[in-house]
Amino acid sequence: MFRRATCAAGHRGYAMITSTVRLLKSAARRTGLTAWLRRSGLLQWLPVAAPKSTPSISQNAESPLSYESRLAAEQAHFASNDNVHDLPAIFHYWSNSYLRPKLELFGFSNPDQFFAAYLDKTFVPGDLRSRRYISVGAGNCDTEIRLAKQLVESGKDNFTIECVDINAEMLKRGAEMASREGVGAQIITRRLDLNDWHSHREYDAVIANQSLHHIVELEQLFDTVLAALREDGFFITSDMIGRNGHQRWPEALAIVHEFWRQLPERYHYNHQLKRIEHVMENWDCSGVGFEGIRSQDILKLLLERFEFDLFIGYANVIDPFIDRSFGHNFDANSPQDRAFIDRVHACDEEQIAAGNITPTHLIAAMRLGSPGTCHRHVGLPPARCVRHVA
């Protein structure tokens, strides 16, 4: 587990070893030796992440909680949650008006179609072997089931999607749904803690759908993905990359407050915290569980390890007005409410394009190669979307 204790000297020594190993693995990928290393079994002896101590999980929280307390809160929250992706109607107005056109530049209209397009890329004519995918933090497996059905309907059924999550209740629901939907042979559920995941299998694709912002041990997770991904495989994700705890950075918060003052009080009700906020609080939701625990580190760590085939970074200031806390205050059928959302979005786009604020969301496809390179992107390239902390 990530909480194992180490002395300072031991940590520095381990970090030096891990740094050297990463260089060797990078060189192996460039020279085509990675597949040989995997076949030889040597990769299992290479450390994938330096150990960290407990402060890494409490830096974002007002009152530090133990790992066990956070884990219990996380599991309790999602155990009875049948739909973790439900969003207010105003979100769908915004996404269909503004996010969808960005995605359609690349041939898909929503995250499901994005994931499906990259899974389809792993099928090569003449190569009849079964494809193996893994979805990290799969929850109820609803996205994975939809992807499996789409592949089967297109004539591709020689694959499995391994759905892993810490929550046994969610995985149970996923397995039952997969059976009902006719893809029980393609969906495999497995309970594990992704903060301590090691894999000696190869995968044609690794999927992370809105799960990375729940992970403490991002370094370990990403290094495990590096070791597990086939040479021609993809790491595909749709996730949140803003400030920890889904807070706004000061430069974005100032803009949010400007728009907040334009709204009547009835728009200030927080549906999640059940309270009126006359001035929107920059609330840190990572203080209870793992929600947004290390969001701000995700993009930086990905850039250090992967080559981006596609990067779409989007949104920031718009988030509080269309999310679960305040989005329900808006009427998606009201011209006045839509006009307000339009104004916020226009400001958001302008400020992101100018580099004054950074995106809080990404859709990205990555592969093995020269870390940090990006072939296709919308707006700013990924390296310019990292919000550097002083």
Side-chain angles (χ1 to χ4, degrees):
M1 299 296 288
F2 73 91
R3 298 177 298 108
R4 51 188 178 270
T6 58
C7 67
H11 183 89
R12 286 193 298 270
Y14 196 97
M16 291 176 64
I17 294 171
T18 304
S19 177
T20 302
V21 167
R22 285 177 182 161
L23 289 172
L24 290 172
K25 290 165 76 174
S26 177
R29 290 196 302 273
R30 291 195 300 271
T31 57
L33 291 175
T34 307
W36 178 84
L37 284 171
R38 287 193 181 109
R39 288 194 300 269
S40 70
L42 292 176
L43 277 179
Q44 66 180 302
W45 302 107
L46 301 183
V48 294
K52 295 196 294 293
S53 54
T54 50
S56 64
I57 68 166
S58 61
Q59 288 169 351
N60 315 318
E62 294 178 0
S63 56
L65 296 176
S66 69
Y67 178 79
E68 289 77 10
S69 298
R70 290 173 184 272
L71 185 60
E74 184 96 349
Q75 293 193 85
H77 174 72
F78 288 107
S80 58
N81 195 334
D82 291 329
N83 186 358
V84 297
H85 302 299
D86 62 317
L87 288 161
I90 199 65
F91 169 86
H92 299 292
Y93 163 75
W94 168 82
S95 64
N96 282 310
S97 299
Y98 299 112
L99 178 57
R100 182 171 180 167
K102 292 180 187 289
L103 306 184
E104 288 178 342
L105 292 173
F106 300 100
F108 49 87
S109 299
N110 54 56
D112 272 17
Q113 291 182 11
F114 157 73
F115 289 127
Y118 271 92
L119 295 187
D120 192 67
K121 285 176 182 285
T122 67
F123 287 90
V124 179
D127 183 354
L128 301 180
R129 65 180 176 81
S130 179
R131 266 48 181 178
R132 178 184 288 155
Y133 311 124
I134 186 168
S135 181
V136 294
N140 291 318
C141 312
D142 45 351
T143 297
E144 295 73 17
I145 291 168
R146 291 194 299 270
L147 294 175
K149 289 180 66 177
Q150 186 168 333
L151 285 173
V152 170
E153 289 166 3
S154 70
K156 303 178 180 70
D157 60 2
N158 58 332
F159 69 91
T160 57
I161 305 178
E162 190 175 331
C163 298
V164 297
D165 199 276
I166 190 64
N167 198 303
E169 289 299 316
M170 300 184 85
L171 291 174
K172 180 182 178 183
R173 286 196 292 268
E176 293 170 350
M177 186 191 307
S179 180
R180 290 196 305 271
E181 296 293 331
V183 288
Q186 283 77 28
I187 298 294
I188 301 169
T189 59
R190 182 159 66 99
R191 183 180 183 274
L192 60 81
D193 186 344
L194 289 167
N195 289 298
D196 197 33
W197 175 45
H198 301 270
S199 178
H200 305 314
R201 294 180 178 177
E202 280 190 331
Y203 295 96
D204 295 276
V206 178
I207 306 165
N209 183 29
Q210 298 299 324
S211 59
L212 300 180
H213 65 269
H214 292 264
I215 304 299
V216 176
E217 289 291 345
L218 288 169
E219 292 87 350
Q220 159 128 350
L221 176 66
F222 294 160
D223 285 347
T224 297
V225 172
L226 272 175
L229 202 61
R230 284 180 56 89
E231 291 290 330
D232 55 352
F234 292 100
F235 181 22
I236 47 181
T237 183
S238 172
D239 222 299
M240 307 182 74
I241 54 171
R243 190 179 182 182
N244 290 346
H246 304 327
Q247 301 174 89
R248 301 300 108 184
W249 293 105
E251 61 275 13
L253 184 62
I255 302 172
V256 169
H257 283 164
E258 287 181 18
F259 282 108
W260 196 258
R261 287 191 289 269
Q262 300 175 25
L263 290 170
E265 185 174 288
R266 66 185 179 86
Y267 292 86
H268 295 173
Y269 183 71
N270 188 321
H271 287 257
Q272 294 197 99
L273 300 181
K274 311 299 183 187
R275 67 189 187 190
I276 289 284
E277 296 185 19
H278 298 294
V279 177
M280 194 205 78
E281 182 181 336
N282 202 24
W283 187 60
D284 181 357
C285 64
S286 69
V288 178
F290 292 117
E291 183 71 33
I293 190 74
R294 291 189 65 198
S295 301
Q296 67 197 46
D297 298 324
I298 291 172
L299 181 55
K300 177 177 70 72
L301 295 173
L302 290 174
L303 280 162
E304 291 173 358
R305 289 162 171 79
F306 297 95
E307 171 188 329
F308 282 74
D309 185 70
L310 173 65
F311 174 83
I312 303 172
Y314 63 94
N316 184 324
V317 172
I318 192 69
D319 287 351
F321 303 100
I322 58 175
D323 72 3
R324 294 177 180 86
S325 290
F326 302 103
H328 294 288
N329 298 324
F330 292 86
D331 180 357
N333 296 314
S334 163
Q336 180 180 351
D337 285 1
R338 292 200 303 267
F340 176 83
I341 295 300
D342 294 342
R343 291 197 305 274
V344 177
H345 172 79
C347 176
D348 218 1
E349 291 281 281
E350 178 184 351
Q351 294 298 313
I352 290 174
N356 296 328
I357 60 177
T358 50
T360 54
H361 302 259
L362 92 165
I363 290 176
M366 294 153 284
R367 57 193 318 167
L368 305 181
S370 301
T373 59
C374 183
H375 299 288
R376 300 181 297 165
H377 63 85
V378 172
L380 298 178
R384 291 184 57 193
C385 293
V386 176
R387 205 288 188 177
H388 297 284
V389 182

